[in-house]
Each structure stands twice: as C-alpha cells, then as structure tokens.
C-alpha cells in the first residue's frame, strides 16, 4: 500500500458485518473468512478498489480474481449463459453452491465486474461461498466482491484471522473475524467456457464429484496452448489488436502513447495512466487505457501503442508484467480481449 493503515478488527456480529459492508462499499479493503480460506475483499466493480488488492498483496501479476456473490442468481446475472454451459452451471450451483467451487464463465456484456478484476478477459471467475458470516456480508454489500486469499503474494493462504493479521496488518482497512475456516484449502476452479469443462485448480470440491455430475473433465495439460481463463497461464492475456512497444522514450508518427507521468510530446493519441506517477492509479487505469488506445488508435490509422517506462517496483512490476503480456506475439487465431 502507499500508506500504513489502521486495520480495524471486526467481530462477526451484526454491527461488525454492517461496518465491513460499509467499508467495502466505500472502496476499502476488508479481509473476511469463507469456508475455504480468508479472502481479501474489495468492491469488484471498482478498478481503484481492486488495484488496492494487488498493492496490499504485493502481487506481481494482474491475474483474474474470483468474484464472490451471495447467491447463484446474483452470480449468474454477471455471466452470459446459453445451452449446455447454462445447464451444467445451474446443475453445479444446485449441488455445490454455497461451497468451495469457482466457475469460470463467459462474461455478460452488462457485467459490473471491472476489467482489472477480470484481468481484461471475456470470462469471469464466480463463486458463492459457504459460511454464515461471508453470506451475510455479501448480502449486505449487494454487489460482487473480488477476493483472492488474504496474504502477501507467494505465502501460505490464511485459514484464521491471526494468519491474515500476521501478513497484512497495517496494509488493509479491516478484518472481519469469523473464526477458523472449515476447509482450509482454496476453492476448486472449473472452466466452463470450452466444449469440455477444464479443471484449472483442484480444491474443496473433488474431481470425482465434478465428473459424476459433468461427465469428462480435462486438465490444462491436455491442451497444447495455455488457457486464457487460468490465472497466469497465458503469455498474452488481454492484448490489444495494435502491437505494443515497451519502454518507449520517443513516439513515432504512427503511434499512440500510453503515458506514465509527464507524457512524451508529439503523440497522435495519448492515455495517461497517472500524470502524477501514482502506481495504484496507473493500475486502475491500465485496461481502460489499452482498450481506448486500441479502438481510437485504429480509427485514426495508428499502427502501434508506445508505452512509456514503468518503475520496476511495487505495483509497477504487475503493470510491467501485463504490458509485456500485451506485447507478446499472438497466433492469428487468438481473439484478444
């Protein structure tokens, strides 16, 4: 985080849940327990709030985050479901929600989940967690809450409030203490965007349980190419149709500019991630900027996006990682975005 915070300790009663919901709706970070592990929650519709998750965790990549909702109806309102995918999703929800199963589904055009939470993809990771406190909090907020595990990136996931505080005290706004988690391992992640479902991460729901309901299920290693909906597995996640030139110290006549800090002169089109050089602001504006420069630059006949250098520190590492992925060569058949 850019500044040290006073982390509030909230008890899992009506007052604590209402206070946690109030903080979340104001764009703050609140850790809360589910049946799997403690999640670090932020309002999924706010790029700025989601950027604070990555800053607090020291997360080096903008991977897709799981959005948590209070019930299946609310979750599926964020997705674009048809045919067999819809049938399987509803059957899975009937059996395993609330519970430790995350479904990766096509993103609805009117979804309120932000680009940053979705990592710029056309898919969403959605879950209805089990647990009285978590569900009461989600109902009180009334909106999707993005919540990866509440720990510094790369460390062991927390199954107790004390684990969260050991890692994130002073870096988040509050923790809602609902006691130890009953499962203690992350949710199973199942991708339903392909003809055959794909197990992206084993977890609280077993492969055997899923197969009994869905039929055959693939593993990511069954595919020669990486999977766009699987966090960190694809070299080029969201990528604009225009090529991206990294660490640009000049702007060529055919280029749009993705600026950071004082912009380079003479660009045909500019989007500034942060005029003041604030990395949290830059992270929140990254995907919007790429989409704007891609669409508007193409209309104006520009053929490239030049990205000014981003610092190799803090959230700058995650921004640089995503820009590098956007700049990766892609197969012609891959549909970006």
């Amino acid at each position: 985080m850019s500044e040290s915070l006073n982390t509030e300790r909230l008890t899992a009663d009506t007052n604590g849940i209402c206070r946690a919901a109030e903080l979340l709706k104001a764009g703050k970070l609140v850790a809360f327990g589910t049946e799997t592990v403690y999640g670090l929650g932020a309002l999924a519709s706010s790029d700025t709030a989601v950027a604070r998750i990555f800053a607090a965790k020291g997360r080096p990549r903008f991977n897709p985050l799981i959005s948590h909702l209070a019930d299946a109806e609310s979750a599926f309102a964020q997705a674009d479901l048809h045919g067999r995918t819809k049938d399987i999703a509803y059957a899975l929800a009937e059996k395993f929600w609330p519970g430790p199963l995350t479904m990766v589904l096509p993103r609805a055009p009117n979804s309120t989940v932000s680009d940053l939470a979705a990592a710029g993809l056309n898919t969403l990771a959605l879950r209805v967690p089990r647990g009285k406190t978590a569900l009461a909090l989600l109902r009180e907020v009334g909106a999707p809450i993005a919540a990866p595990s509440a720990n510094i990136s790369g460390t062991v996931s927390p199954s107790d409030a004390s684990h969260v505080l050991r890692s994130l005290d002073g870096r988040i706004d509050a923790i809602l203490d609902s006691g130890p988690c009953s499962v203690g391992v992350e949710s199973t992640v199942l991708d339903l965007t392909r003809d055959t479902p794909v197990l992206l991460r084993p977890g609280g729901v077993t492969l055997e349980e899923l197969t009994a309901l869905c039929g055959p299920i693939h593993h990511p290693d069954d595919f020669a190419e990486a999977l766009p909906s699987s966090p960190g597995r694809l070299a080029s996640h969201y990528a604009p149709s225009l090529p991206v030139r990294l660490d640009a110290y000049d702007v060529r006549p055919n280029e749009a500019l993705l600026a950071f800090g004082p912009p380079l002169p003479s660009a045909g089109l500019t989007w500034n991630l942060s005029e003041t050089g604030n990395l949290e602001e830059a992270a929140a504006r990254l995907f919007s900027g790429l989409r704007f420069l891609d669409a508007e630059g193409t209309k104006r006949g520009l053929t490239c996006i030049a990205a000014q250098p981003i610092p190799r520190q803090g959230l700058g590492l995650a921004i640089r990682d995503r820009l590098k992925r956007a700049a990766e060569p892609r197969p012609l058949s891959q549909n970006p975005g």
Side-chain angles (χ1 to χ4, degrees):
M1 303 293 291
S2 57
E3 60 184 73
S4 179
L5 298 172
N6 230 347
T7 300
E8 290 186 51
R9 278 72 156 179
L10 304 173
T11 54
D13 54 19
T14 300
N15 289 338
I17 290 168
C18 288
R19 174 59 178 161
E22 175 187 318
L23 289 168
L24 286 168
K25 288 188 279 190
K28 306 297 185 181
L29 299 185
V30 177
F32 63 96
T34 71
E35 81 283 19
T36 56
V37 298
Y38 270 74
L40 181 54
L43 197 64
S45 59
S46 168
D47 280 327
T48 301
V50 172
R52 298 184 68 223
I53 289 179
F54 290 102
K57 286 177 63 69
R59 195 160 177 157
R61 291 179 176 174
F62 293 138
N63 288 334
L65 301 180
I66 296 171
S67 290
H68 297 69
L69 296 105
D71 51 58
E73 181 181 3
S74 301
F76 291 149
Q78 301 291 328
D80 187 15
L81 295 178
H82 302 282
R84 185 168 180 270
T85 298
K86 180 177 181 178
D87 293 339
I88 292 177
Y90 273 83
L92 288 168
E94 178 69 24
K95 184 168 180 62
F96 298 115
W97 278 358
L101 175 66
T102 295
M103 298 187 220
V104 176
L105 299 168
R107 187 178 180 183
N110 62 344
S111 170
T112 59
V113 175
S114 75
D115 256 355
L116 189 58
L121 299 172
N122 286 331
T123 57
L124 292 177
L126 302 170
R127 181 163 101 88
V128 178
R130 193 168 63 230
K132 180 180 176 181
T133 301
L135 290 174
L137 176 62
L138 292 168
R139 283 193 292 267
E140 187 69 25
V141 175
I145 296 299
S149 57
N151 57 296
I152 296 294
S153 188
T155 62
V156 177
S157 296
S159 57
D160 190 273
S162 64
H163 303 159
V164 178
L165 291 171
R166 199 174 302 146
S167 184
L168 296 176
D169 193 13
R171 299 171 66 88
I172 63 176
D173 297 281
I175 178 170
L176 181 61
D177 186 353
S178 56
C181 302
S182 59
V183 177
V185 295
E186 288 89 348
S187 64
T188 300
V189 180
L190 188 67
D191 180 3
L192 297 181
T193 64
R194 292 177 175 251
D195 292 337
T196 300
V198 181
L199 180 67
L200 299 180
R201 182 179 75 186
V205 175
T206 68
L207 177 60
E208 291 77 13
E209 289 176 307
L210 294 173
T211 301
L213 193 149
C214 299
I217 293 175
H218 286 314
H219 186 275
D221 292 343
D222 296 334
F223 297 94
E225 79 277 14
L227 292 166
S229 52
S230 177
R233 295 188 64 91
L234 186 62
S236 177
H237 274 247
Y238 169 72
S241 57
L242 295 180
V244 175
R245 182 167 67 91
L246 302 176
D247 294 323
Y249 290 93
D250 63 339
V251 185
R252 299 163 188 169
N254 64 327
E255 291 181 328
L257 177 66
L258 187 69
F260 179 77
L264 296 169
S266 305
L269 179 67
T270 298
W271 176 279
N272 203 321
L273 293 173
S274 175
E275 294 182 3
T276 62
N278 182 290
L279 288 170
E280 283 190 23
E281 181 184 18
R285 288 172 56 80
L286 177 61
F287 287 106
S288 297
L290 285 173
R291 291 185 189 278
F292 170 77
L293 293 178
D294 191 26
E296 189 62 26
T298 299
K299 287 180 186 177
R300 299 188 187 191
L302 302 176
T303 58
C304 186
I305 297 172
Q308 286 185 223
I310 304 293
R312 299 173 185 269
Q313 63 192 43
L315 272 181
L317 292 175
I319 295 169
R320 290 182 63 87
D321 172 79
R322 187 39 49 96
L323 288 174
K324 181 181 177 184
R325 292 164 184 265
E328 286 284 340
R330 304 180 300 283
L332 293 178
S333 61
Q334 183 175 311
N335 181 27

